[in-house]
Amino acid sequence: MTETAPRRVLLDCDPGTDDALALWLALAAPEIALELVTVAGGNVGLAHTLRNARAVLGLAGARVPVVAGADRPLLGRYQAETRVHGQDGLAGVALPEGPPAAPGLAADALRAALRAAPPGGLTVLGIAPATNLALALATEPDLASRVAEIVLMTGALGEGNWTAAAEFNAAMDPEALALLLRAGPPVTLATLELTAQALVTPERIAGLRAQGGGRCLAAALAILEAVPPSRRFGHRGAPLHDPCAVAWLVAPQLFTHREVAAEVVLEGPDRGRTRIDRWGRGGAPRKARLLEGLDADGFFALLGARLAALP
């Protein structure tokens, strides 16, 4: 019986509390070969997100290059989400200084990695505003053929979490998201409706703590405890967005999904809204995969077991 080779993954992030756990899950997953981490300004400014990404990887003892990228969207104005992530991006949880960032710019590093890959050889995982990924593919669109799948934590079927219309990542750079939806490779979307099913409650934190583990799980628990409960969920807990996108690559059996048509609104008061046609009513080709259902207990069991295996 032959083992499946791990997916070669390029991960673009903006840590961010949930990004930190997503990075640790990716590092702990034998199903993933994490080859490059690129960083954008997003949940907090680029100086913070870059430092946080370096610290998260350093705490795990990982030797993956981290490259700084865009500090603002292609168009429009950058805004941080400090209400959830705090001024430092990790809700005030201090991590030791990580290894230095690799030289260069994220879009250049992404293009170099794609050029060196065979057709369909890499999976692109985006859990930040899509600016870095869009810059890479817009400036060398033929590289899209090297991408097996683009997995994005972005968008919403209904109400947003940044505006009434838009989810944060989509709202911060809708032009970049529009480019990725049209780039050519299959796109998988983990929207707010999906990530709402990964609700972190005190009971789930207690379940994660029962796994034991080392410094990474301890830091993850400190971060989860520091994130304020969401009023959207009656203050019962907070959704754990970004690790859901990683979990799709690690354990797709935890999800249900369907093929959809997807686009993003670029103008007007609904700017950043994702229009997702699940039923083919508009007649547009269904080129995206929407993750719809999540086995939440299985997800948290996976998260705890994998993070407990890290240093």
Side-chain angles (χ1 to χ4, degrees):
M1 185 174 180
T2 59
E3 293 186 5
T4 303
R7 285 208 198 201
R8 300 174 59 196
V9 172
L10 312 178
L11 193 157
D12 186 60
C13 60
D14 61 336
T17 55
D18 53 335
D19 301 71
L21 275 81
L23 279 166
W24 281 320
L25 179 57
L27 291 169
E31 299 87 352
I32 289 176
L34 187 58
E35 299 190 359
L36 174 68
V37 172
T38 54
V39 184
N43 288 317
V44 287
L46 181 62
H48 289 301
T49 58
L50 181 62
R51 183 201 65 229
N52 293 343
R54 292 168 39 237
V56 166
L57 269 67
L59 197 68
R63 298 185 178 276
V64 180
V66 180
V67 185
D71 64 353
R72 67 199 72 184
L74 299 176
L75 300 173
R77 185 168 62 92
Y78 168 75
Q79 293 176 270
E81 177 46 297
T82 56
R83 294 170 300 178
V84 172
H85 302 279
Q87 295 294 327
D88 65 350
L90 294 181
V93 176
L95 299 182
E97 181 75 12
L105 293 173
D108 294 334
L110 288 163
R111 283 192 297 266
L114 290 167
R115 285 190 208 108
L122 289 171
T123 294
V124 172
L125 177 58
I127 55 175
T131 316
N132 288 334
L133 303 178
L135 285 169
L137 291 177
T139 49
E140 201 167 338
D142 287 349
L143 291 177
S145 67
R146 312 298 174 90
V147 179
E149 181 182 8
I150 299 173
V151 181
L152 302 174
M153 191 281 115
T154 194
L157 285 165
E159 186 178 15
N161 64 350
W162 181 248
T163 69
E167 177 273 334
F168 177 81
N169 285 341
M172 285 302 101
D173 201 334
E175 284 78 16
L177 176 57
L179 189 148
L180 292 186
L181 291 172
R182 299 193 298 260
V187 177
T188 297
L189 301 172
T191 66
L192 293 181
E193 290 76 16
L194 185 282
T195 63
Q197 299 169 57
L199 192 68
V200 178
T201 62
E203 294 76 17
R204 284 190 166 135
I205 290 176
L208 293 172
R209 180 169 285 108
Q211 295 282 345
R215 59 181 182 261
C216 290
L217 182 56
L221 288 165
I223 289 169
L224 292 177
E225 290 177 322
V227 172
S230 172
R231 65 175 182 170
R232 293 196 303 130
F233 298 94
H235 300 283
R236 292 182 293 113
L240 193 56
H241 303 292
D242 292 340
C244 291
V246 180
W248 164 250
L249 298 179
V250 175
Q253 70 274 12
L254 297 176
F255 298 83
T256 61
H257 56 84
R258 75 173 69 212
E259 304 307 304
V260 299
E263 62 180 0
V264 58
V265 177
L266 301 180
E267 297 179 350
D270 283 357
R271 175 176 164 81
R273 183 185 191 95
T274 45
R275 291 194 186 120
I276 298 173
D277 183 355
R278 296 191 296 162
W279 304 104
R281 293 187 178 99
R286 301 189 196 188
K287 294 184 176 180
R289 177 191 289 119
L290 177 70
L291 302 181
E292 288 192 311
L294 174 67
D295 174 355
D297 289 339
F299 168 79
F300 281 101
L302 172 76
L303 185 70
R306 297 301 176 86
L307 267 59
L310 289 173

